[in-house]
Amino acid sequence: MTNRVLLNNVDHGDLRVLTGHGARFGDDINQVLVLPTEFEDVQREYPMFFRKDANGAYQTIALLGLDRDENLFLDDGGWRARYVPAVQQRGPFSIALQGDRSADSAQPELMIHVDLDHPRISRTEGEAVFLPAGGNAPYLQGVVGLLGAIYDGLEIAPSMFAAFDDLALIEPVAVEIKLDDERSYDLPDLYTISQERLVGLDAADLLRLHRSGLLRAAQWVVSSMGNLRTLIDLKNRRLTAV
């Protein structure tokens, strides 16, 4: 259950947020939604794949583990990676539009909401959300930038997938991981960028993809596949430690 309300410095002047990472904060997940605005950071740490949501639309996920509720980057000391995906960084905060996007008058305003029942919420410890005088604390300023990047990523994603689909760059991928004679994993319903089709694009399509800024996004998805080896190493290390 959530208790999401509009954030304001009157009702929430003493609000604090616990910023660590752990299972109690909902970080014990084996995959997480990632957005085009963070592909460059994500591809350095995690393998990225596409999958289809309940409506059949593509979305991008970073693979964090092989078993259910397993985040191989998470241990008792926190999240062991140089970058934590934005959806997990945002904690109890989310954004919503106030106003009609189709209206001709004013542009809709992005409003920040906070889930007061989120396990990161505290009144006694953690990062302050507001300054004593009522202004945004540095932590909240960072959250505002993060939520803006999430919003931009959600706006970009549909056109990105449409461009990839139009060029037939998206293909299903069979991810089969064999750890030993007794333990193996088959990860179903995943898609990726076809490296063969990407390098085979003609000059006009390649230029169009480059000018749209999506050529780099496609290349980052391809390059992220190298992180599967890291994931396997982390899994073997965890099995050995048990």
Side-chain angles (χ1 to χ4, degrees), residues 15-73:
L15 210 63
R16 291 181 171 270
V17 178
L18 303 172
T19 57
H21 288 280
R24 69 188 179 114
F25 299 131
D27 292 324
D28 52 344
I29 50 177
N30 68 353
Q31 55 185 252
V32 61
L33 177 72
V34 294
L35 301 162
T37 43
E38 57 181 335
F39 276 12
E40 183 174 8
D41 292 313
V42 172
Q43 59 91 27
R44 295 191 182 105
E45 302 290 322
Y46 317 100
M48 288 191 289
F49 295 96
F50 305 144
R51 69 179 184 191
K52 291 184 177 180
D53 64 17
N55 297 316
Y58 286 113
Q59 55 185 196
T60 312
I61 59 103
L63 191 64
L64 307 177
L66 300 178
D67 284 307
R68 185 180 178 85
D69 300 330
E70 175 185 68
N71 183 346
L72 292 168
F73 297 89

Side-chain angles (χ1 to χ4, degrees), residues 28-189:
D28 52 344
I29 50 177
N30 68 353
Q31 55 185 252
V32 61
L33 177 72
V34 294
L35 301 162
T37 43
E38 57 181 335
F39 276 12
E40 183 174 8
D41 292 313
V42 172
Q43 59 91 27
R44 295 191 182 105
E45 302 290 322
Y46 317 100
M48 288 191 289
F49 295 96
F50 305 144
R51 69 179 184 191
K52 291 184 177 180
D53 64 17
N55 297 316
Y58 286 113
Q59 55 185 196
T60 312
I61 59 103
L63 191 64
L64 307 177
L66 300 178
D67 284 307
R68 185 180 178 85
D69 300 330
E70 175 185 68
N71 183 346
L72 292 168
F73 297 89
L74 193 68
D75 61 23
D76 293 339
W79 194 304
R80 302 300 187 183
R82 290 168 295 180
Y83 179 77
V84 177
V87 169
Q88 293 304 114
Q89 284 191 59
R90 68 176 178 174
F93 299 100
S94 59
I95 53 177
L97 288 174
Q98 180 172 351
D100 185 359
R101 295 184 63 185
S102 63
D104 295 329
S105 55
Q107 288 291 322
E109 185 177 1
L110 291 177
M111 309 298 291
I112 299 180
H113 287 70
V114 60
D115 177 9
L116 296 177
D117 289 341
H118 196 282
R120 291 188 182 277
I121 291 295
S122 174
R123 301 282 179 174
T124 59
E125 56 182 326
E127 294 285 344
V129 174
F130 293 105
L131 298 172
N136 293 353
Y139 169 73
L140 183 57
Q141 292 175 2
V143 168
V144 170
L146 181 68
L147 292 176
I150 290 174
Y151 177 79
D152 290 342
L154 290 170
E155 290 283 287
I156 293 168
S159 59
M160 179 190 75
F161 285 120
F164 289 164
D165 216 13
D166 183 55
L167 295 172
L169 291 177
I170 301 176
E171 67 176 5
V173 58
V175 181
E176 301 173 352
I177 297 172
K178 186 175 178 62
L179 298 179
D180 52 41
D181 291 338
E182 298 179 354
R183 197 184 302 264
S184 62
Y185 295 88
D186 295 328
L187 308 181
D189 305 323

